[in-house]
Amino acid sequence: MKTSSDGIYGWMKSGLGAFVAEPCLGYGGEELCPRRLGAFCSPAPDEADFCGVSELQSCVWNCCYGRFCIVVAEFKMNYLYGAFGSPCTVSIDFVDAETRKQASVKKENGQTVLVPLFLGQDSVVGEVRIDPVPGKKVEHTGVKIELLGQIELYFDRGNFYDFTSLVRELDVPGEILERKTYPFEFSTVEMQYESYNGVNVRLRYILKVTISRSYATNIVEYKDFWVRNYSPQPEINNSIKMEVGIEDCLHIEFEYSKSKYHLKDVIVGKIYFLLVRIKIKHMELEIRRRESTGSGPNTYNESETLAKYEIMDGAPVRGESIPIRLFLSPYDLTPTYRNINNKFSVKYYLNLVLVDEEDRRYFKQQEITMYRAE
Amino acid sequence: MQVQEDAVSSAEEQDKWLADAMALVQHNAFYMHRAVDASNLRDALKYSAQMLSELRTSKLSPQKYYELYMRTFDELRQLETFFKEETKRGRTNADLYELVQHSGNILPRLYLLITVGSVYIKSQEAPAKDILKDLVEMSRGVQQPIRGLFLRSYLSQISRDKLPDVGSPYEGEGGNVMDAVEFVLQNFTEMNKLWVRMQHQGPAREKEKREKERSELRDLVGKNLHVLSQLDGVDLEMYKDVVLPRVLEQIVNCKDEIAQYYLMDCIIQVFPDDFHLQTLETLLSACPQLQPTVDIKTVMSQLMERLSRYAAASPEVLPEFLQVEAFTKFSHAVVEVIEAQPDMALVGAVSLYVALLTFVLRVHVDRLDYVDQVLGGCVKKLEGKGKVKDVKATKQLVALLSAPLEKYKDVVTILKLSNYGKVMEHLDYDTNRVMAVVLMQSILANNTLITAPEKVDGLFDLLKELIQDSEGAPSIDELDEEDFKEEQNLVARLVHMLVNDDNEQMFQILIAARKQFGQGGPKRLPFTLPPLVFAALKLVRSLQNEDLPDDGPVSLKKVFQFLHQTVEALSVVPAPELALRLYLQCAEAAGVCNLEPVAYEFFTQAFMIYEEEIADSKAQVTALQLIIGTLQRTRVFGVENRDTLTHKATGYSAKLLKKPDQCRAVYACSHLFWVEEGSGVKDGERVLLCLKRALRIANAAQQMSSATRGSNGPMTLFVEILNKYLYYFEKGNTQVTSTIIQGLLELIVTEIQSENTTQDMQVDAFLANTLRYIQFQKHKGDSVAERYSDIKVPS
């Protein structure tokens, strides 16, 4: 075994996968989370979600939102100005608000809010209500509602790429003296991308009502909603099977039953030890998410570990096979996104990590495809 | 010293760690209880997982870990109850079963999974077999030996009453007994692997400590076998086809000394006797495959012990023992095991044979051939090894030899065992002697009669260390004299156990014994031959009344020849006094048998010994008295022979050194001329001659005394002679007249009263008694009294 300082301790013979070992420190930013793993912590609406990783995730999120706050402030200023000086209140409601499903979404302050949930082909129907402040009238040059699908990137903040933009004119220029409601409908809207809140990118859908005024600033009101798309069961779903190791040190064969998993799926598999000459302390399975934004030289990759799941305690001997069963439901996963609008990708990896008694880590990462099943 | 301190401090540390862990368990258990009371599943899971995280420690020794485990075990029972309630509140078992698996750490996860699994099985919402299989499979994730062992032990404990055994509520949909067995076997196998693995972890210098720790954990593994034995559905068939082969496979393959020994022992202890009996072959075939260092002899001994107890407790199963050829299998196994373990100390091999023998003696008491076979096996093992030097092995050999003796309490039976002696040969000299003594004591204690000449040979063959000097034995002088005497006395007593009612046989026995004793050497002969002589004399008495031809297989003549040779051997030793006595005994016997020449010959021999060998004057006196006594009683002689012999005897008497001795011998000789019984000689004249001579000698003694010490000695001799006179007077010896007596009486009285004579109370009393006797006779009023009337008693 080489002991070179770059932390790579050797490579497998040709034909086999390589196994990378690296010192524990400086690995993937897990040091951020001071909490011991394995505790059930971090409240979440879904009570199944009692994995220690949630907390870890929220740490990451918090710091990410730090980067977004400038954008957020801009929104707020607009809104406040409108509310304060605005001569009317504008509200947007969906017709089926009572019955429609809602998605729980983490907001920038870490709290979760419930947001109406739509599927890709749903019709977005509702009404806009404008209540002028009593005694005031609202003069306008027209009222319109837009349905926007936007992608925001961290390194290009403030700029939204609208990949979907639909407009309905609600009113011709005139003035509003009393409450006025405008029904609107976007029928069978093509919303091919899912809403997504990432580290460096977010994809969102909004309804935007604009009361255009000639002198004063326009009065603008937003309504967020969430979009999810179901994928069909994949036709081909092979198992992942591989023999990896470090020559004369460790040979293992692992197998995950599938390569494609839906979000509430279970990862089943096993690890078979062919040769063990190092003193293994434990073994864990990690679920990692890699978010890539931009393209070419401006590509940013952000990896986070969503789950750490211990699957073996102690040192096995040759011939031992260790079962894997990992329920995905507790983790806040999304489907795999590949090259969304040429702006970003989100990929998932299973990382098998063996830790030896000197805390060296040996790992092998395999991509898995996540999809949303109905 | 240093090591000890280390041990102490580490014990202190252990206590501290345990206390810390306990405190944390308690803390989390408290919150868990609160969550349980509030029916808050999430918190209950959270705190229970935190509590169980304490079990992830690697610091504690197995013993401390066990304490911690027990503590959490109790808490988990409460959690189990809570889970049960949760399902009543509408949560499905399947849900719970999944929910607990979200826990990130494997150890708490699996403890929780097993706990929920228990509730799940009880609900019968899913087949027990599936859940059990899943649990035992998932438990593979814990590969750390101690943690794994305890986890699986927890699984075993929880699942005990939930196995789909025959008659259990979980049977049927939940699986059958096969599934139950499969589950337990798998758990057992994995536990054993973990247990064995402990041995190979950690530094080599802590091997001892590790072994100790391991043995503390062994019951965790063994419990699985116990569970198997408790399954009602495991009948003989299943045991034979599934359970035993699988368990043995694991035992053999684990190649671990401690495990193999313990688990073999476990099998033997937990499963019923009849199972063992019917699967002997399988069980025994595993024995030679164990590691060479395994203490297999103890294991096999246990098995044999157990089966023999079984046979003893229920005799009706004996036919089964025969049917399965238990003995043959055992003896094969013993041989194989010994072959498979070339390093086994001799003591091990021998103790295996001891165990086998014990088995035979308990189960097949009537099969002497088996016993002999066992001994034969042992002999084979010992072959070429000469005397066994190892003390322990010797002890076992003694046990091997003593066992049949204790069982049969009959040396005759032992003598039928052809290999018995061969085993004995391998004992070292001292032990062999001890063994021989034991044998003899057994004969004596049980009054075993040895009735056949060939048995005698056999027996003495066993005892040969005692009756002769064998090669390599220390010289007799080195032996402890007391022990030697004790042993030889035993041998002597043994002779009286050689008895046969048939004279011919008896004679053969004696000859055989004589032959054996003949090699004993001068030290032993004085002990061994006399009883033989007396035995022969006894034979003489029984032959006396039978008219047997001289040339028959046995005749008086032959017996006397035998006696002659025997005693002669003693005189050669030399043990003259003994030989003399025996000659006289023989002479007397010959006399009784009317064999004058024989008797004469014996006397001649006795006389020769007297003349040539007995020099000590005291011994001479005794010898002479014996000769006189015997001669007096022997009436077979014709005048001529008799004269010769009496003359000789009288002659010897007069030649004794001390005057008193001379005197006494001479007056004793007077009896040779006066035989009261039958038609004996009554030569009054010579009697008187003897007495007078005695008087003369007594007188001379007095004078000598007066010359050397200035005073006369006591009058003892005179009084004694007076008594002799009175005796003959009474018997009607006409030569002894009242006048002579009167004269002697007066002489004595005068002398005693004279100042010159030393006073002696005893003599005075003797005289007084004698005088009183005379008075008494005088007043009796019969014919004797008349004759006494002439005697006047001086006052």
Side-chain angles (χ1 to χ4, degrees):
Chain A
M1 198 194 284
K2 280 185 281 175
T3 49
S4 52
S5 58
D6 61 3
I8 297 169
Y9 287 97
W11 297 92
M12 273 303 300
K13 278 181 277 189
S14 63
L16 291 173
F19 216 33
V20 186
E22 66 173 17
C24 188
L25 288 175
Y27 169 70
E30 297 128 359
E31 298 305 310
L32 281 175
C33 180
R35 197 60 181 264
R36 269 167 78 187
L37 287 165
F40 293 119
C41 54
S42 167
D46 184 355
E47 60 188 26
D49 179 32
F50 59 91
C51 177
V53 173
S54 311
E55 173 115 346
L56 171 75
Q57 194 184 359
S58 74
C59 295
V60 176
W61 271 100
N62 283 339
C63 90
C64 294
Y65 271 103
R67 301 167 187 167
F68 266 113
C69 51
I70 301 161
V71 184
V72 170
E74 242 174 294
F75 277 124
K76 275 201 176 141
M77 273 169 65
N78 272 341
Y79 180 74
L80 285 174
Y81 177 80
F84 186 67
S86 158
C88 64
T89 54
V90 180
S91 60
I92 307 165
D93 292 303
F94 298 106
V95 276
D96 48 3
E98 300 288 311
T99 54
R100 177 156 294 278
K101 274 196 199 159
Q102 294 188 304
S104 72
V105 175
K106 273 221 175 82
K107 286 213 335 193
E108 41 273 25
N109 56 11
Q111 289 175 343
T112 48
V113 288
L114 293 176
V115 186
L117 178 63
F118 288 84
L119 298 177
Q121 299 294 327
D122 277 354
S123 298
V124 183
V125 186
E127 60 178 23
V128 176
R129 198 173 64 210
I130 299 171
D131 273 316
V133 177
K136 288 201 172 177
K137 62 177 180 186
V138 181
E139 284 182 19
H140 60 87
T141 57
V143 178
K144 66 176 178 186
I145 183 163
E146 290 167 283
L147 190 157
L148 300 173
Q150 302 179 320
I151 295 171
E152 300 168 56
L153 293 168
Y154 169 69
F155 57 84
D156 192 16
R157 56 176 178 266
N159 281 331
F160 308 124
Y161 298 93
D162 292 352
F163 55 88
T164 297
S165 177
L166 298 167
V167 188
R168 296 284 183 274
E169 294 294 339
L170 294 180
D171 208 350
V172 294
E175 47 188 41
I176 301 169
L177 296 167
E178 56 188 358
R179 168 187 289 190
K180 205 164 180 189
T181 54
Y182 308 98
F184 66 87
E185 179 173 353
F186 301 95
S187 49
T188 56
V189 192
E190 185 70 30
M191 296 181 285
Q192 56 169 323
Y193 305 128
E194 286 200 344
S195 303
Y196 173 68
N197 268 348
V199 180
N200 286 332
V201 62
R202 97 168 161 173
L203 188 152
R204 63 172 201 168
Y205 288 92
I206 46 172
L207 286 170
K208 181 180 176 188
V209 173
T210 312
I211 304 173
S212 313
R213 296 197 287 185
S214 46
Y215 312 110
T217 48
N218 292 343
I219 298 171
V220 183
E221 177 64 33
Y222 298 96
K223 174 84 176 177
D224 279 278
F225 64 92
W226 205 257
V227 171
R228 279 176 188 165
N229 282 321
Y230 294 115
S231 317
Q233 197 93 9
E235 277 169 30
I236 302 165
N237 198 349
N238 295 323
S239 64
I240 300 175
K241 199 170 175 181
M242 189 176 265
E243 196 182 323
V244 294
I246 302 163
E247 198 166 355
D248 294 331
C249 264
L250 178 69
H251 285 203
I252 65 169
E253 188 182 286
F254 62 82
E255 180 174 359
Y256 308 125
S257 59
K258 295 188 273 190
S259 53
K260 295 170 185 165
Y261 296 90
H262 65 78
L263 300 182
K264 308 284 173 203
D265 217 341
V266 187
I267 297 175
V268 175
K270 67 173 173 212
I271 290 129
Y272 188 72
F273 285 83
L274 299 165
L275 175 80
V276 189
R277 291 223 183 112
I278 52 173
K279 287 179 178 167
I280 296 171
K281 199 160 70 177
H282 62 96
M283 175 167 69
E284 59 195 23
L285 198 61
E286 294 177 342
I287 301 174
R288 312 190 80 196
R289 168 156 68 196
R290 193 163 74 188
E291 190 183 284
S292 316
T293 46
S295 56
N298 294 327
T299 306
Y300 292 85
N301 281 324
E302 193 72 48
S303 283
E304 30 175 349
T305 303
L306 303 181
K308 271 189 158 190
Y309 194 74
E310 191 185 22
I311 53 174
M312 186 183 76
D313 171 25
V317 291
R318 192 166 62 86
E320 211 62 72
S321 87
I322 308 296
I324 303 172
R325 188 194 291 150
L326 171 55
F327 289 91
L328 295 175
S329 55
Y331 306 106
D332 195 8
L333 305 176
T334 67
T336 297
Y337 302 134
R338 288 188 207 283
N339 203 15
I340 299 299
N341 211 33
N342 275 326
K343 291 286 184 246
F344 74 100
S345 296
V346 175
K347 289 180 178 173
Y348 286 89
Y349 297 88
L350 279 182
N351 193 22
L352 183 67
V353 186
L354 290 113
V355 181
D356 72 7
E357 285 187 346
E358 280 137 43
D359 279 333
R360 275 192 292 261
R361 301 166 65 96
Y362 306 84
F363 61 90
K364 179 69 192 170
Q365 196 160 289
Q366 286 296 120
E367 190 186 347
I368 52 169
T369 305
M370 298 302 302
Y371 66 94
R372 195 183 298 280
E374 207 152 340
Chain B
M1 227 17 233
Q2 190 58 47
V3 174
Q4 242 173 6
E5 273 169 26
D6 280 356
V8 170
S9 79
S10 112
E12 277 168 9
E13 276 185 339
Q14 288 273 313
D15 285 341
K16 190 182 165 296
W17 286 327
L18 178 62
D20 289 352
M22 284 288 205
L24 281 167
V25 165
Q26 182 127 18
H27 174 83
N28 286 310
F30 171 77
Y31 285 106
M32 184 187 92
H33 290 172
R34 234 168 51 170
V36 164
D37 291 343
S39 300
N40 184 339
L41 179 62
R42 272 181 49 78
D43 281 1
L45 289 177
K46 172 177 157 187
Y47 289 112
S48 58
Q50 278 178 17
M51 173 183 82
L52 288 165
S53 286
E54 292 308 317
L55 285 173
R56 298 176 68 209
T57 178
S58 296
K59 289 175 178 168
L60 295 178
S61 70
Q63 211 184 354
K64 301 286 181 202
Y65 193 87
Y66 177 73
E67 284 179 40
L68 191 61
Y69 164 81
M70 283 317 288
R71 179 78 179 78
T72 46
F73 183 85
D74 293 343
E75 299 298 343
L76 287 174
R77 297 283 54 72
Q78 305 206 19
L79 194 62
E80 189 181 339
T81 319
F82 171 64
F83 286 147
K84 212 175 297 165
E85 282 163 14
E86 273 296 299
T87 59
K88 283 186 199 141
R89 275 185 225 118
R91 193 176 285 276
T92 65
N93 276 303
D95 257 6
L96 272 177
Y97 197 71
E98 182 190 325
L99 202 51
V100 292
Q101 291 187 64
H102 295 170
S103 174
N105 279 118
I106 184 156
L107 197 68
R109 177 165 76 231
L110 290 177
Y111 271 104
L112 288 174
L113 190 66
I114 293 168
T115 313
V116 175
S118 159
V119 180
Y120 203 172
I121 296 173
K122 259 196 208 152
S123 75
Q124 302 199 353
E125 283 171 26
K129 62 171 178 180
D130 292 347
I131 298 169
L132 289 174
K133 194 165 165 30
D134 189 55
L135 291 176
V136 78
E137 202 45 51
M138 292 313 283
S139 297
R140 279 175 186 278
V142 180
Q143 293 286 326
Q144 203 278 342
I146 293 182
R147 295 198 281 272
L149 275 172
F150 276 97
L151 176 74
R152 285 182 180 275
S153 162
Y154 180 65
L155 173 59
S156 162
Q157 201 150 354
I158 290 299
S159 61
R160 267 180 99 153
D161 54 346
K162 301 179 184 69
L163 300 173
D165 187 15
V166 169
S168 122
Y170 309 105
E171 199 197 0
E173 295 234 337
N176 55 30
V177 67
M178 206 46 228
D179 297 304
V181 168
E182 199 59 38
F183 165 76
V184 180
L185 277 175
Q186 196 180 343
N187 203 31
F188 162 73
T189 309
E190 293 299 326
M191 280 178 90
N192 189 41
K193 281 202 246 172
L194 290 172
W195 189 45
V196 170
R197 203 182 296 167
M198 266 181 84
Q199 189 66 38
H200 309 295
Q201 290 179 352
R205 70 192 142 84
E206 284 175 9
K207 181 162 178 270
E208 206 166 304
K209 180 180 160 222
R210 215 158 37 229
E211 281 177 359
K212 187 175 155 279
E213 287 180 352
R214 281 192 63 201
S215 58
E216 284 169 3
L217 290 174
R218 61 182 196 178
D219 287 347
L220 297 182
V221 185
K223 215 176 260 175
N224 285 300
L225 295 180
H226 189 243
V227 171
L228 279 176
S229 74
Q230 298 286 305
L231 287 175
D232 291 336
V234 176
D235 51 11
L236 179 59
E237 192 115 332
M238 180 168 293
Y239 177 73
K240 201 171 178 176
D241 295 343
V242 183
V243 177
L244 186 62
R246 290 273 300 275
V247 174
L248 284 180
E249 186 192 355
Q250 173 59 28
I251 294 177
V252 169
N253 289 343
C254 79
K255 297 199 191 308
D256 178 79
E257 185 185 340
I258 299 177
Q260 288 184 336
Y261 172 72
Y262 171 70
L263 293 175
M264 285 302 279
D265 197 38
C266 248
I267 293 184
I268 291 165
Q269 301 303 340
V270 299
F271 291 105
D273 300 309
D274 52 329
F275 281 20
H276 291 318
L277 192 56
Q278 298 300 331
T279 55
L280 255 189
E281 198 157 3
T282 325
L283 191 55
L284 291 175
S285 68
C287 291
Q289 298 177 52
L290 302 181
Q291 295 301 98
T293 42
V294 173
D295 182 13
I296 189 66
K297 65 169 195 303
T298 314
V299 172
M300 282 182 67
S301 309
Q302 296 265 29
L303 180 58
M304 292 189 248
E305 165 90 23
R306 198 163 167 191
L307 285 184
S308 53
R309 245 186 287 138
Y310 175 50
S314 35
E316 69 275 7
V317 298
L318 272 179
E320 279 183 55
F321 276 81
L322 293 174
Q323 200 193 336
V324 302
E325 296 177 312
F327 170 73
T328 323
K329 284 174 185 164
F330 269 128
S331 61
H332 280 164
V334 166
V335 172
E336 275 175 34
V337 163
I338 291 174
E339 272 173 17
Q341 302 200 345
D343 295 337
M344 178 161 44
L346 193 59
V347 55
V350 179
S351 48
L352 265 178
Y353 281 109
V354 172
L356 184 58
L357 187 67
T358 317
F359 172 78
V360 171
L361 289 176
R362 285 207 189 157
V363 182
H364 304 291
V365 190
D366 46 340
R367 297 297 296 263
L368 266 182
D369 53 333
Y370 283 179
V371 177
D372 201 33
Q373 220 171 308
V374 176
L375 294 173
C378 191
V379 168
K380 223 179 203 172
K381 171 72 191 161
L382 292 170
E383 222 161 54
K385 292 216 164 57
K387 301 271 184 206
V388 175
K389 297 279 188 307
D390 177 14
V391 181
K392 283 183 189 160
T394 307
K395 215 174 240 176
Q396 287 299 322
L397 277 179
V398 170
L400 186 72
L401 292 168
S402 308
L405 200 58
E406 274 161 27
K407 186 71 192 183
Y408 296 115
K409 299 195 187 312
D410 180 7
V411 174
V412 177
T413 317
I414 303 297
L415 292 176
K416 291 184 192 146
L417 304 170
S418 62
N419 287 310
Y420 197 88
K422 292 182 193 163
V423 175
M424 261 185 93
E425 275 171 25
H426 288 283
L427 290 175
D428 64 50
Y429 180 74
D430 281 327
T431 320
N432 198 328
R433 268 175 42 223
V434 171
M435 196 61 226
V437 168
V438 170
L439 271 172
M440 286 191 295
Q441 277 166 344
S442 158
I443 296 175
L444 295 171
N446 298 310
N447 251 330
T448 315
L449 300 180
I450 317 291
T451 53
E454 61 278 8
K455 290 274 170 55
V456 174
D457 273 336
L459 176 62
F460 286 126
D461 219 30
L462 296 182
L463 305 178
K464 66 183 167 207
E465 294 286 4
L466 289 186
I467 56 176
Q468 55 178 274
D469 295 324
S470 56
E471 277 174 54
S475 77
I476 290 177
D477 305 330
E478 289 170 27
L479 297 176
D480 182 89
E481 196 175 347
E482 233 166 82
D483 285 354
F484 178 73
K485 275 188 186 162
E486 191 121 323
E487 286 160 15
Q488 295 305 320
N489 279 332
L490 278 171
V491 177
R493 286 174 65 190
L494 186 62
V495 173
H496 299 294
M497 292 298 171
L498 312 176
V499 173
N500 193 322
D501 287 341
D502 180 55
N503 291 329
E504 193 181 321
Q505 290 282 318
M506 186 62 202
F507 190 48
Q508 292 301 319
I509 289 175
L510 291 177
I511 291 174
R514 168 75 181 81
K515 212 166 56 267
Q516 296 281 353
F517 289 153
Q519 294 153 14
K523 282 267 183 182
R524 292 194 181 86
L525 290 181
F527 289 95
T528 50
L529 292 186
L532 207 54
V533 169
F534 285 105
L537 288 175
K538 204 168 151 196
L539 177 63
V540 166
R541 268 197 293 285
S542 69
L543 282 172
Q544 213 175 319
N545 306 320
E546 284 174 47
D547 193 19
L548 291 166
D550 280 354
D551 51 355
V554 59
S555 67
L556 275 175
K557 206 172 156 192
K558 281 189 174 162
V559 177
F560 276 112
Q561 278 167 6
F562 171 79
L563 279 167
H564 191 271
Q565 285 165 10
T566 310
V567 184
E568 197 176 18
L570 267 180
S571 68
V572 173
V573 165
E577 287 159 58
L578 194 55
L580 181 105
R581 280 161 196 261
L582 293 175
Y583 273 133
L584 291 176
Q585 286 283 352
C586 296
E588 193 182 354
V592 173
C593 296
N594 262 328
L595 297 170
E596 189 183 350
V598 179
Y600 189 84
E601 170 63 16
F602 280 124
F603 266 110
T604 316
Q605 293 294 336
F607 281 15
M608 275 161 67
I609 288 177
Y610 179 83
E611 282 175 12
E612 291 165 12
E613 311 270 353
I614 300 182
D616 178 62
S617 58
K618 253 189 201 153
Q620 280 181 340
V621 173
T622 322
L624 202 52
Q625 274 169 353
L626 284 168
I627 291 173
I628 293 166
T630 316
L631 194 54
Q632 198 262 346
R633 262 178 299 163
T634 312
R635 258 152 269 144
V636 71
F637 297 119
V639 181
E640 204 172 308
N641 283 342
R642 191 177 170 77
D643 272 357
T644 319
L645 293 173
T646 46
H647 184 71
K648 265 282 179 204
T650 328
Y652 294 150
S653 307
K655 281 177 198 145
L656 285 173
L657 179 65
K658 290 201 245 168
K659 290 289 173 189
D661 289 341
Q662 267 185 25
C663 172
R664 285 189 180 111
V666 169
Y667 71 64
C669 281
S670 67
H671 287 283
L672 292 176
F673 306 104
W674 193 271
V675 179
E676 198 59 34
E677 297 90 5
S679 54
V681 197
K682 287 190 175 166
D683 189 343
E685 204 169 326
R686 294 181 74 170
V687 168
L688 190 61
L689 223 60
C690 283
L691 293 180
K692 279 186 173 164
R693 198 165 171 190
L695 266 180
R696 260 205 312 281
I697 299 168
N699 222 359
Q702 272 305 45
Q703 281 168 9
M704 268 170 63
S705 160
S706 117
T708 50
R709 291 182 214 145
S711 71
N712 290 342
M715 294 295 287
T716 330
L717 289 172
F718 291 95
V719 183
E720 282 170 16
I721 296 168
L722 172 65
N723 274 282
K724 287 288 164 199
Y725 271 108
L726 286 173
Y727 171 79
Y728 291 111
F729 182 66
E730 253 171 57
K731 296 290 175 194
N733 186 336
T734 50
Q735 297 292 322
V736 181
T737 62
S738 53
T739 329
I740 298 174
I741 295 174
Q742 188 69 45
L744 181 58
L745 251 177
E746 280 164 12
L747 171 80
I748 293 170
V749 173
T750 322
E751 279 293 317
I752 285 182
Q753 285 163 355
S754 95
E755 288 178 1
N756 228 358
T757 309
T758 319
Q759 293 296 307
D760 188 318
M761 295 290 287
Q762 263 184 331
V763 179
D764 289 352
F766 190 15
L767 179 64
N769 281 338
T770 314
L771 294 179
R772 210 167 28 243
Y773 175 77
I774 296 171
Q775 291 290 9
F776 168 74
Q777 290 292 1
K778 280 163 84 103
H779 294 105
K780 226 163 63 175
D782 56 4
S783 59
V784 181
E786 258 173 54
R787 296 175 52 203
Y788 269 101
S789 62
D790 295 340
I791 302 172
K792 292 199 178 69
V793 179
S795 52

